[in-house]
Amino acid sequence: MAVRESAWEIQVEDVVAAGLPPAEARDFHLALRSAANAGRQVGMEAEVWRAVVTQRLLRPDHPHALHQLVYYSVYAKWDLAQRGPPPYWFPSMAQCRLTNLGRLMEANGPKLLGSSYVNPITSFSVFQNYSVCHPEVYWSIVVKELSVTFRNEAKSILDTSDKFKEGGAWFPGAVLSIAECCLLPSSSPKKTDGNLAILWMNEGSDNSPVSSLSQKELRNQVMMVANALDTLFTKGDAIAIDMPMTSTAVIIYLAIILAGYVVVSIADSFAFKEIATRMRISKAKGIFTQDFIIRGGRKFPLYSRVVEASDCKAIVVPSSGNDVGLTLRNHDLSWRDFLSRVAGLPRPCDYSPVYRSADAVINILFSSGTTGEPKAIPWTHISAIRSAADGWAHLDIQAGDIVCWPTNLGWVMGPILLYSCFLNGATLALYHGSPLGRGFGKFVQDASVTILGTVPSLVKTWKSSKCMEGLDWTKIRLFASTGEASDIDDDIWLSSRAFYKPVIECCGGTELSSSYIQGSLLQPQAFGAFSTPSMSTGFVIFDEQGIPYRDDEPCAGEVGLFPRFMGASDMLLNADHKKVYFDGMPSYRGMILRRHGDKIQRTVGGYYIVLGRVDDTMNLGGIKTSAVEIERVCNRAEESVSETAAISFRSRDGGPEQLVLFAVLKPGMTKEESSLRAKFQRAIQKELNPLFKVSLVKVVPEFPRTASNKLLRRVLRDELSKGSALSKL
């Protein structure tokens, strides 16, 4: 990858080498020189990049090498240590006032902040801090922006009288059905019966029209399923869903909650033992599943795994067509037979919702379970409201948006996506198949998706395979990313697909029902970084002695969340909640902080970077660093490398921790491990610390991951301890 010392030093030959024909390269070079006039002085790099983006010099159809050349050359002399991450996206005042949060700030800012309020951009951080200090005020305003209707209004927003509830009681006395809120029309946000509720396409039908359900059609189908549920189950029963996140799965999810049951979320990728564990912990009385999963043109068994895992009644949805493709157990039902149970009702699509208290459990989700039994985390109506509100505030989800995010109801992003769409009046876009290939990208194009959510490993696959070339994603107004640390170069590729729209980074957890740090459309955004705590979220970063750093101080350490986190869990089904999240945590301003387990860095300029889990920290030569920090540097050090994983390791004879790097190469690439070791060593010494020494590099075909795609460094460490590579340490 060619990089010059500034945009002015890029020559026509560089542009040709990056993939443009000579005539087009000359025109591009002239336009680039003109844009570079915006910042010829030292320290004006951001103005040059802003001009490049504003003038749309770089197009989605340009080679990625050209995007790399321009971005990295513009910021070649940017001093990260002195200035923090370089911005690539800049909010405009006109755009900000059209966002959900900007509109709310303009309406309420002068009253709440007084003379300190200026505008949504200047006053964003002040308003975020206000939402932390006055959560009752913030949530009383925001809940009215969502499609949430209470059967009985709350006595207050927050009740802190019970000292045994670290997080307080939110919306005490409120009664509602969050599923009904998802299904009914509303005036704010504007949602009518004719609105598109769900768009979807089946894998392999890429040239067919996109299928759709209107708000009224969705409501009718949910109510029919709710009626059928009442013929089989007892109110309050836990009912599992283990199937891809299809339109049918969404209908089932909403019907279970509407009818007063509890959803048990199980990811469709699990083996039978993991399914059995989750069925046992949740005490599920039934399970909805599919006969097969269709991915990449192949059929994978799912029903057979469910049968091996549980004797509970299974309702089996066909993966294609109208009939299941196998023989069922005697007590199981096909989807067709399940729906036929309401055939005798005079109005099968009418249903009276079951209204419950705001803190009633509606959904049981599970942590990844990478260290022993997974934690069973109950979600309530309040969890759903929190997830939708963060989508409203940070992703700016509005009525009329079309939101697509490849995920599963077994992972936290599934329910978050569902509530973020239906409680904000947006359309949920679902691709019934693998998101890895061009078929998914064509669906994004054909469905006119406006907000696309991703995980970084998915973006890496799209970029390296070049499967999305030639598709039009320019209707996308923002991207979102979660699940793992983002790679800067992958984010450049993603953002460039839509003329450098922002990639809003999100980091949170199942037990939070949302994110604790995110990006915001009211702040400049930097690749691979978070720009703010989420609205109403307070936290501190503390050192190894539990001493907090100042709020404005660049630092790195463990994050401790303020305990009054609206929507966060206050119980676990199979573990001591207080022990897991509060015991052993430091106090801050009279509060016991809530444990999350992330190590994060606050940079110069106020951005945040997730450095990994606290237990991913390594001690190299007496200096503590994180695996993620090392991986960020090594991922950019060699063109042939797709991704790296860093672990620290002690030899059998003991001694200090040694740094071992695993590398996955791009398809078709080969590279000697000794050569990679030298490259990684130079990059680490230059960008991190000259004292860090790379002891070993191992090239592997792929990394072990959890079902939710989290890297399992522990497995790599175990494999290393078994292998002959130890003799080299």
Side-chain angles (χ1 to χ4, degrees):
M1 177 177 65
V3 177
R4 298 300 180 185
E5 289 297 302
S6 72
W8 271 95
E9 294 187 29
I10 295 175
Q11 303 300 316
V12 175
E13 299 79 42
D14 299 322
V15 180
V16 172
L20 288 194
E24 188 178 347
R26 286 191 291 273
D27 292 341
F28 180 89
H29 184 255
L30 283 173
L32 179 62
R33 281 290 177 95
S34 176
N37 280 326
R40 297 202 64 173
Q41 299 174 359
V42 176
M44 296 288 287
E45 297 94 339
E47 293 307 312
V48 174
W49 179 253
R50 188 203 292 257
V52 168
V53 172
T54 302
Q55 296 173 31
R56 294 196 164 189
L57 298 188
L58 289 166
R59 303 194 309 264
D61 61 316
H62 280 150
H64 182 56
L66 183 61
H67 291 270
Q68 291 175 309
L69 171 67
V70 176
Y71 175 82
Y72 290 118
S73 296
V74 166
Y75 284 119
K77 292 183 178 178
W78 182 275
D79 190 335
L80 283 170
Q82 295 296 318
R83 304 175 69 185
Y88 71 93
W89 183 83
F90 310 86
S92 74
M93 193 59 66
Q95 288 173 327
C96 284
R97 290 191 166 114
L98 297 176
T99 64
N100 291 327
L101 200 54
R103 180 171 45 80
L104 182 143
M105 288 177 65
E106 287 285 81
N108 297 278
K111 178 176 63 177
L112 299 178
L113 302 181
S115 59
S116 65
Y117 182 75
V118 180
N119 59 56
I121 296 176
T122 305
S123 306
F124 171 78
S125 293
V126 177
F127 187 67
Q128 194 282 331
N129 186 62
Y130 179 91
S131 73
V132 176
C133 298
H134 305 279
E136 302 96 327
V137 177
Y138 175 77
W139 285 106
S140 68
I141 296 170
V142 170
V143 77
K144 293 172 185 173
E145 298 287 334
L146 306 176
S147 180
V148 173
T149 303
F150 294 106
R151 189 75 168 182
N152 295 342
E153 291 290 336
K155 297 172 185 175
S156 62
I157 299 297
L158 174 62
D159 180 358
T160 59
S161 60
D162 186 347
K163 300 307 176 187
F164 292 100
K165 274 199 163 189
E166 295 89 353
W170 293 90
F171 297 92
V175 174
L176 73 158
S177 166
I178 202 68
E180 181 187 48
C181 295
C182 291
L183 297 170
L184 289 181
S186 68
S187 56
S188 178
K190 186 169 176 53
K191 184 170 60 167
T192 69
D193 275 349
N195 280 18
L196 287 177
I198 304 178
L199 295 174
W200 79 90
M201 180 177 285
N202 294 323
E203 182 178 281
S205 303
D206 302 343
N207 295 318
S208 302
V210 174
S211 301
S212 65
L213 272 180
S214 70
Q215 191 71 31
K216 183 177 182 180
E217 290 167 336
L218 173 64
R219 184 169 66 249
N220 287 344
Q221 293 200 28
V222 168
M223 290 189 169
M224 182 164 62
V225 172
N227 276 312
L229 286 168
D230 283 349
T231 70
L232 291 173
F233 299 103
T234 302
K235 295 299 183 188
D237 280 352
I239 304 170
I241 300 176
D242 184 3
M243 58 189 293
M245 192 170 174
T246 61
S247 52
T248 302
V250 170
I251 289 165
I252 294 166
Y253 181 97
L254 290 172
I256 291 172
I257 296 171
L258 188 77
Y261 305 102
V262 177
V263 174
V264 179
S265 293
I266 302 177
D268 62 1
S269 55
F270 281 135
F272 80 92
K273 287 185 178 179
E274 281 93 350
I275 299 171
T277 297
R278 286 154 177 79
M279 294 291 284
R280 171 180 56 79
I281 294 171
S282 65
K283 300 178 181 177
K285 298 295 192 294
I287 183 168
F288 284 86
T289 188
Q290 274 187 190
D291 50 1
F292 300 98
I293 298 172
I294 298 176
R295 286 284 187 274
R298 298 172 61 195
K299 289 172 69 173
F300 299 91
L302 181 55
Y303 173 69
S304 61
R305 279 186 268 147
V306 169
V307 167
E308 198 170 358
S310 174
D311 290 329
C312 284
K313 181 181 290 294
I315 297 97
V316 186
V317 177
S319 53
S320 61
N322 296 317
D323 298 306
V324 294
L326 37 67
T327 303
L328 305 183
R329 296 177 300 189
N330 290 337
H331 65 283
D332 293 338
L333 287 172
S334 69
W335 180 243
R336 183 201 292 268
D337 290 342
F338 170 73
L339 293 180
S340 71
R341 299 176 70 86
V342 301
L345 294 180
R347 291 187 297 276
C349 294
D350 283 354
Y351 193 86
S352 297
V354 174
Y355 299 102
R356 304 173 69 200
S357 64
D359 62 354
V361 177
I362 60 171
N363 192 177
I364 298 168
L365 293 107
F366 296 86
S367 64
S368 298
T370 57
T371 54
E373 188 170 84
K375 296 188 293 289
I377 301 167
W379 265 33
T380 67
H381 292 92
I382 297 166
S383 312
I385 293 170
R386 173 66 191 235
S387 61
D390 271 13
W392 177 91
H394 290 273
L395 301 185
D396 194 45
I397 298 174
Q398 301 186 10
D401 271 319
I402 299 172
V403 187
C404 182
W405 199 321
T407 185
N408 186 271
L409 288 169
W411 301 118
V412 68
M413 267 316 305
I416 286 177
L417 175 64
L418 186 154
Y419 292 119
S420 292
C421 287
F422 295 149
L423 296 182
N424 283 302
T427 300
L428 172 61
L430 301 169
Y431 185 69
H432 299 176
S434 170
L436 294 172
R438 187 176 181 82
F440 172 79
K442 188 173 186 300
F443 170 67
V444 170
Q445 169 188 277
D446 294 350
S448 299
V449 167
T450 59
I451 298 176
L452 177 61
T454 66
V455 293
S457 57
L458 193 55
V459 178
K460 189 177 292 293
T461 298
W462 293 339
K463 186 186 81 170
S464 62
S465 68
K466 300 183 179 180
C467 65
M468 302 305 180
E469 287 189 359
L471 294 174
D472 182 0
W473 283 8
T474 56
K475 290 192 172 99
I476 295 172
R477 65 185 186 91
L478 69 85
F479 298 92
S481 180
T482 191
E484 54 189 325
S486 289
D487 178 85
I488 291 174
D489 196 63
D490 293 343
D491 270 1
I492 291 172
W493 178 89
L494 181 65
S495 179
S496 71
R497 298 306 89 194
F499 289 106
Y500 287 96
K501 294 300 192 299
V503 181
I504 301 298
E505 301 282 349
C506 313
C507 182
T510 307
E511 77 283 0
L512 300 179
S513 67
S514 60
S515 298
Y516 72 92
I517 48 174
Q518 289 189 271
S520 172
L521 296 182
L522 305 184
Q523 296 174 297
Q525 296 300 299
F527 286 125
F530 307 81
S531 61
T532 179
S534 60
M535 295 303 297
S536 82
T537 298
F539 64 75
V540 294
I541 303 171
F542 58 88
D543 64 18
E544 292 175 349
Q545 284 72 46
I547 299 171
Y549 294 99
R550 296 192 318 271
D551 287 345
D552 59 350
E553 183 180 3
C555 59
E558 184 173 351
V559 64
L561 303 176
F562 290 6
R564 289 173 187 165
F565 191 114
M566 191 280 206
S569 63
D570 61 8
M571 65 173 289
L572 297 170
L573 297 188
N574 60 339
D576 184 330
H577 189 272
K578 183 174 181 294
K579 183 177 180 180
V580 170
Y581 293 114
F582 290 96
D583 284 2
M585 288 294 286
S587 295
Y588 180 74
R589 294 180 182 172
M591 303 176 286
I592 301 295
L593 296 172
R594 180 179 177 121
R595 179 179 290 108
H596 186 66
D598 281 352
K599 181 179 181 182
I600 67 173
Q601 175 189 3
R602 182 165 50 231
T603 72
V604 174
Y607 291 97
Y608 297 92
I609 295 171
V610 175
L611 301 177
R613 304 294 287 172
V614 172
D615 50 13
D616 285 338
T617 301
M618 55 183 76
N619 187 325
L620 301 177
I623 301 169
K624 296 217 169 170
T625 188
S626 79
V628 173
E629 200 169 12
I630 291 172
E631 289 158 8
R632 286 184 199 277
V633 171
C634 293
N635 286 345
R636 300 195 300 266
E638 166 57 46
E639 279 286 305
S640 63
V641 170
S642 175
E643 56 183 333
T644 58
I647 65 168
S648 62
F649 196 87
R650 283 188 174 91
S651 69
R652 293 192 181 102
D653 298 327
E657 293 182 38
Q658 299 181 59
L659 175 58
V660 177
L661 284 158
F662 291 82
V664 174
L665 301 181
K666 293 176 181 175
M669 294 287 189
T670 58
K671 204 73 179 177
E672 291 292 329
E673 291 175 346
S674 58
S675 173
L676 287 176
R677 179 182 172 187
K679 280 272 183 81
F680 293 159
Q681 183 68 73
R682 286 195 295 272
I684 290 170
Q685 289 180 335
K686 179 182 177 184
E687 297 189 40
L688 288 179
N689 194 305
L691 300 178
F692 292 170
K693 179 184 176 185
V694 179
S695 297
L696 180 70
V697 170
K698 292 290 294 179
V699 173
V700 294
E702 61 182 9
F703 291 148
R705 295 183 180 274
T706 67
S708 63
N709 213 44
K710 290 184 171 65
L711 178 63
L712 287 169
R713 293 186 181 84
R714 170 179 51 79
V715 174
L716 290 173
R717 194 175 289 111
D718 291 346
E719 288 299 316
L720 187 66
S721 67
K722 298 173 187 174
S724 60
L726 278 176
S727 62
K728 300 177 184 178
L729 290 178

